[in-house]
Amino acid sequence: MATKVKFFDKSIVIYRELSNVLGLGLLISIFCIGFGSWFLKLMPDEILPRVFGMLFITIGIFVLIGLPKYYGKMKNKSGAIIFKADAKGISEGSPLNSLENTYSWNSIEKIILTSKYIEKGLDSDGTSYSWNLMFIFLNKKINDNIGFIQRSKKQIGISPKGHDFITVQLPKNSLIDIRENLASLSINQIEISVCKRFEFHYGKDIEAITP
C-alpha cells in the first residue's frame, strides 16, 4: 500500500489512506475465512486440520468484526499512521495495530533512507527487492536486552553485521524532505542519510550503501 507524509512545525507523520487499510483488512478476513473453510472441507474427519481451519476462520471473523470499530475510531483522522517523529523521538506501528513502539532520539544510532533496498540471504536463499524504505538502527548500549518475543512484536530485524533495526515504508520522491525534517527534529543528534541503494548480504556479512 502506498504511503503519504505530512510535515508540521514540530512533527512528521507518515500514514496510509484509511480506505486502503480497510480494503486490506477485508481481504485478510476473506482469505482467512476462505482458507480455513477449505481446510475443513478438504479433511473434515482429521482433528488437526479441523483445528487449523477453525483457527483461520476465527481470525478472519475477528478481523471482519473489528473493521467497523476501527473505521469509527479513524474516520476523522488523515489516515492510518504508521510513523511519527517529534522532538522527543519516533513512534511506529502497523495500521491495524493500535500498539505503538516508541524510541527516544538517544536510543537511535542512525537512520538510512533508501530509494532501493536489496537483500541477499545465504547462498541458497535468493535475492529480494524493495523500494522507498527507511532503516532505523537502534543504539546497542540502550537496546541491548531485546528478547525473542519483544523482537517479534516490534518487528526488529538483525542486519548482517549484527545491528538491530526497524523499517518504515516511505512515500516516493519524499526522502530528502523527510531526511531534512528528521534532522531538524533530532537537532542533528544522529546520522541521517539518503541513498540510491542499500544492500544487505547475509551470506557475506555485507552492508553496502550506494549514495
Side-chain angles (χ1 to χ4, degrees), residues 45-83:
D45 298 325
E46 300 291 333
I47 295 178
L48 288 179
R50 288 178 63 186
V51 172
F52 190 71
M54 288 302 301
L55 176 62
F56 267 84
I57 291 174
T58 302
I59 293 173
I61 291 174
F62 269 108
V63 172
L64 189 62
I65 293 174
L67 287 178
K69 182 179 179 180
Y70 179 78
Y71 173 75
K73 178 182 176 181
M74 302 294 295
K75 66 180 181 180
N76 294 323
K77 299 183 179 180
S78 301
I81 296 174
I82 62 171
F83 175 86

Side-chain angles (χ1 to χ4, degrees), residues 18-199:
L18 185 57
S19 58
N20 292 338
V21 176
L22 292 172
L24 176 61
L26 183 60
L27 287 176
I28 292 173
S29 176
I30 293 172
F31 170 80
C32 288
I33 293 173
F35 188 69
S37 300
W38 177 78
F39 249 89
L40 291 178
K41 184 178 180 180
L42 183 66
M43 291 176 281
D45 298 325
E46 300 291 333
I47 295 178
L48 288 179
R50 288 178 63 186
V51 172
F52 190 71
M54 288 302 301
L55 176 62
F56 267 84
I57 291 174
T58 302
I59 293 173
I61 291 174
F62 269 108
V63 172
L64 189 62
I65 293 174
L67 287 178
K69 182 179 179 180
Y70 179 78
Y71 173 75
K73 178 182 176 181
M74 302 294 295
K75 66 180 181 180
N76 294 323
K77 299 183 179 180
S78 301
I81 296 174
I82 62 171
F83 175 86
K84 182 178 180 180
D86 56 25
K88 295 181 180 179
I90 68 165
S91 60
E92 61 86 31
S94 60
L96 292 173
N97 190 346
S98 59
L99 178 65
E100 287 188 350
N101 304 315
T102 59
Y103 303 92
S104 61
W105 287 116
N106 66 349
S107 70
I108 298 171
E109 182 178 332
K110 64 179 178 180
I111 296 177
I112 296 175
L113 299 88
T114 182
S115 299
K116 183 178 182 179
Y117 169 60
I118 301 174
E119 181 178 311
K120 297 181 180 180
L122 299 176
D123 292 340
S124 60
D125 289 343
T127 303
S128 62
Y129 301 87
S130 301
W131 287 264
N132 303 310
L133 286 177
M134 173 162 54
F135 285 76
I136 302 168
F137 289 83
L138 305 180
N139 190 323
K140 283 188 174 183
K141 294 180 180 178
I142 298 176
N143 304 280
D144 59 349
N145 293 315
I146 301 175
F148 175 80
I149 295 177
Q150 187 180 23
R151 185 180 297 279
S152 177
K153 286 182 178 180
K154 294 186 175 184
Q155 297 184 334
I156 299 174
I158 302 177
S159 75
K161 293 185 178 180
H163 301 286
D164 293 323
F165 70 92
I166 57 176
T167 60
V168 178
Q169 187 72 47
L170 300 176
K172 187 178 180 180
N173 301 324
S174 298
L175 276 64
I176 293 177
D177 291 335
I178 292 172
R179 186 265 168 206
E180 291 177 351
N181 280 268
L182 287 176
S184 176
L185 291 170
S186 66
I187 320 177
N188 295 308
Q189 295 180 53
I190 59 176
E191 176 188 347
I192 305 175
S193 58
V194 176
C195 64
K196 293 181 180 178
R197 190 172 80 172
F198 189 40
E199 181 178 333

